[in-house]
Amino acid sequence: MDTTVVVGGGIGGLACAVALSRAGQPVSVLERQDAVADAGTALGMWPNAMRALDALGLGDEVRQIGVPQTEAVFRRPDGRLLTRIDTTRRLSEPVRLISRGALTKLLLGALPGGVVRTGVVVSDVDSLVRRNRAVVGADGINSVVRKQVFGVPDGLRYAGYSAWRGLVAGEFGPSGETLGRGRKFGVTGVEGGRTNWFAPVFSPAGRRYPEGNMPELRRLFGDWCDPIPEILTCTDESDIIRHDLYYVGPPLKSYVRGRVTLVGDAAHAMTPDLGQGACQALLDGAVLGRCLATMTDAEAALKRFDSLRRKPSQAIAATARLTGALTMRPGFAIARDTLLRLAENFATLSNRGWSSTRS
Ligand SMILES: Cc1cc2nc3c(=O)[nH]c(=O)nc-3n(C[C@H](O)[C@H](O)[C@H](O)COP(=O)(O)OP(=O)(O)OC[C@H]3O[C@@H](n4cnc5c(N)ncnc54)[C@H](O)[C@@H]3O)c2cc1C
């Protein structure tokens, strides 16, 4: 009954296990895949996630490996600049872009051997509750723990868009997004001199492309400004990932039932428009681990976790959804571009005003 069992060895589950293990607490991670997944593309680690990584003792390694993002450039499909955001002036430290594989490897490397058991599909959460101190549902967007324990058989809503993602060798200019009507194409760096791209497109759920993803990507983005056509040319069809995007909705009233709690996507899967899903999963894991390690009563520790993390994570999820609606919905395209251009003009004017006071 001393052990905390974590269902799912993704970013959130591993973060929680690292926090507990570093505090000398017994923890076991059950992962259904035969190996902990390292597929996927780049993840942007915002300063909030860097603080969680620091608490886990991994911040400096991520700073070393990750590519710092110093600006974000927003353009129209014809290449016209909408706005350029200097992230170094707005954030306490730059966002670090790191591949899911590299981040997973760091988290796994911080755990003693035997903590993670792969090839174990959890289907009966109650039996885990009976045998363990606490059960952490870190089993992602289609969480079995959420369905079985929280009485929400589905609990997901379709965002209205799906996204293609890929990784290519080579560097293709500044990070940022090119915004069209009902679709956008984003580019970021990632370690190893590679480029991560993502292309969300407004479409009905369940749409399939029997002729492959690339012909559709070329139809949608082939005539957009550089470097998008070149990135598509360099991408191998077999490396493309595509997902319909869902989020947890309505938001859960609590992340806790007795000695069971949810973290990461299981608790608050969000649209990827802020690049915060994995950041929030890391924060959940680090905070939950600390609560369980410092409080003897498991139920009280989980309640404390809920009071610290539910509202902030749900606020980020709501902001991500709003950002998605404003940048993706075809009807908002003109207003969106005007707002971004105004922001750009305002930034230019403010810069001029500042330099003129110094001349
Ligand atoms: C297009 C896109 C771009 C994104 N970009 C970013 C970004 O830049 N920055 C960012 O922070 N986030 C980003 N995200 C979000 C991020 O990928 C997720 O939020 C994050 O991976 C969630 O981590 P998790 O540990 O909660 O869940 P997951 O990573 O889904 O892990 C869940 C784990 O549980 C296992 N599992 C499931 N069911 C069971 C079971 N019954 N028994 C045992 N094991 C089970 C799974 O195999 C899996 O390993 C993006 C997402 C998308 C779709």
Side-chain angles (χ1 to χ4, degrees), residues 82-165:
L82 290 169
T83 194
R84 181 188 301 270
I85 297 173
D86 176 355
T87 51
T88 57
R89 286 177 50 202
R90 288 165 197 251
L91 301 173
S92 54
E93 66 173 305
V95 173
R96 306 277 164 174
L97 298 153
I98 185 167
S99 64
R100 183 183 299 272
L103 182 61
T104 304
K105 210 167 153 189
L106 285 179
L107 289 162
L108 271 177
L111 288 170
V115 166
V116 180
R117 287 172 51 204
T118 52
V120 183
V121 182
V122 171
S123 55
D124 179 1
V125 183
D126 279 348
S127 78
L128 290 178
V129 177
R130 282 194 294 276
R131 288 182 281 120
N132 293 282
R133 179 182 180 225
V135 176
V136 179
D139 49 344
I141 187 163
N142 294 305
S143 170
V144 165
V145 180
R146 188 180 66 235
K147 285 176 194 155
Q148 286 189 8
V149 180
F150 288 73
V152 271
D154 176 17
L156 296 177
R157 287 185 181 160
Y158 183 50
Y161 43 102
S162 60
W164 282 278
R165 287 183 283 169

Side-chain angles (χ1 to χ4, degrees), residues 7-12 30-33 42-44 100 120-122 138-140 144 165 245 264-265 272 275-279 281:
V7 183
I11 309 265
L30 308 177
E31 167 55 47
R32 70 177 167 189
Q33 307 281 354
L43 298 170
R100 183 183 299 272
V120 183
V121 182
V122 171
D139 49 344
V144 165
R165 287 183 283 169
L245 299 175
D265 279 7
Q276 271 282 332
C279 298

Side-chain angles (χ1 to χ4, degrees), residues 41-61:
T41 51
L43 298 170
M45 296 289 103
W46 288 72
N48 56 359
M50 292 309 303
R51 284 196 293 278
L53 286 160
D54 282 334
L56 299 175
L58 298 171
D60 287 342
E61 284 172 274

